[in-house]
Amino acid sequence: MTSPLELAANAFTAAAILLAGRNNVHTWWTGIVGCALFGLLFARNRLYADVVLQMFFVGTGVLGWWRWLRGNNGAPLPITHAGWRSLAWMIPAGITATAAYGALLHFHTNAYAPFIDSAVLVFSVIAQLLMMQRRIENWPVWLLVNTIAVPLYYSRGLHLTAFLYLCFWVNAIVSWVWWTRLARREAGA
């Protein structure tokens, strides 16, 4: 049975993700609440990398909120592309960090699926950093994260959360297209 905690975490996080896809600044406060609730839920399910990730999301939620509103010399940050140089180091760094954190969890905790859980953590951090900068490439990284997270959460009996992340997978595709259009529109203005 789905707990009230899981329901509340999913509701706030679903709102945040939909708002992010629509380029709406209210994504940040709804995300902060949802992530705090998910942190509690994941701690109860021994998904420790996900607990750390939720704490990271809460902290970066505050910074992201400010950056989206005032990060361009006091003006809202525009949607842009990340440079190829930035993207070129992210994949090997992500794989290396996943292996290192997964090993740490594997050898020093009773974590469930430590390497898979660590991949969700590391690539979510990368996607979040890209989103905070309003970089279009955050969406394909979120696609990767959601592809890994759906079976992980389902395997822990978090069926509603797995379904939510499946919806996030679809949202990432739609949002990728939408943000690309918005960036073209802003560049042409």
Side-chain angles (χ1 to χ4, degrees):
M1 182 170 169
T2 304
S3 71
L5 177 60
E6 186 177 4
L7 286 170
N10 275 275
F12 275 99
T13 304
I17 297 303
L18 290 173
L19 290 167
R22 302 314 163 259
N23 193 37
N24 187 307
V25 74
H26 295 291
T27 184
W28 296 106
W29 74 264
T30 54
I32 291 167
V33 173
C35 291
L37 296 172
F38 264 125
L40 294 171
L41 179 69
F42 291 143
R44 290 182 182 171
N45 284 276
R46 297 185 1 243
L47 294 170
Y48 303 130
D50 278 306
V51 173
V52 172
L53 178 60
Q54 299 311 309
M55 292 185 320
F56 170 80
F57 283 155
V58 169
T60 59
V62 174
L63 181 59
W65 196 353
W66 178 84
R67 288 198 50 76
W68 275 33
L69 287 173
R70 308 262 185 259
N72 187 20
N73 297 317
L77 212 58
I79 296 173
T80 59
H81 284 280
W84 283 107
R85 287 185 186 149
S86 297
L87 296 173
W89 67 265
M90 287 182 190
I91 293 172
I95 292 169
T96 301
T98 295
Y101 195 66
L104 178 74
L105 291 177
H106 176 74
F107 291 112
H108 300 289
T109 74
N110 64 344
Y112 177 83
F115 292 96
I116 295 169
D117 196 21
S118 293
V120 171
L121 165 78
V122 169
F123 286 97
S124 292
V125 167
I126 292 169
Q128 181 77 350
L129 294 172
L130 288 167
M131 187 186 313
M132 288 172 58
Q133 297 297 318
R134 272 193 169 147
R135 304 286 191 224
I136 292 170
E137 290 77 13
N138 83 85
W139 295 111
V141 179
W142 285 124
L143 279 171
L144 172 65
V145 168
N146 297 331
T147 300
I148 298 166
V150 169
L152 174 66
Y153 299 151
Y154 190 84
S155 73
R156 294 305 291 159
L158 301 171
H159 300 126
L160 178 61
T161 302
F163 177 73
L164 179 69
Y165 275 71
L166 182 62
C167 293
F168 290 168
W169 193 90
V170 173
N171 183 69
I173 293 171
V174 172
S175 299
W176 190 0
V177 170
W178 176 244
W179 276 40
T180 301
R181 286 182 188 157
L182 287 174
R184 278 192 208 126
R185 202 176 301 158
E186 286 179 9

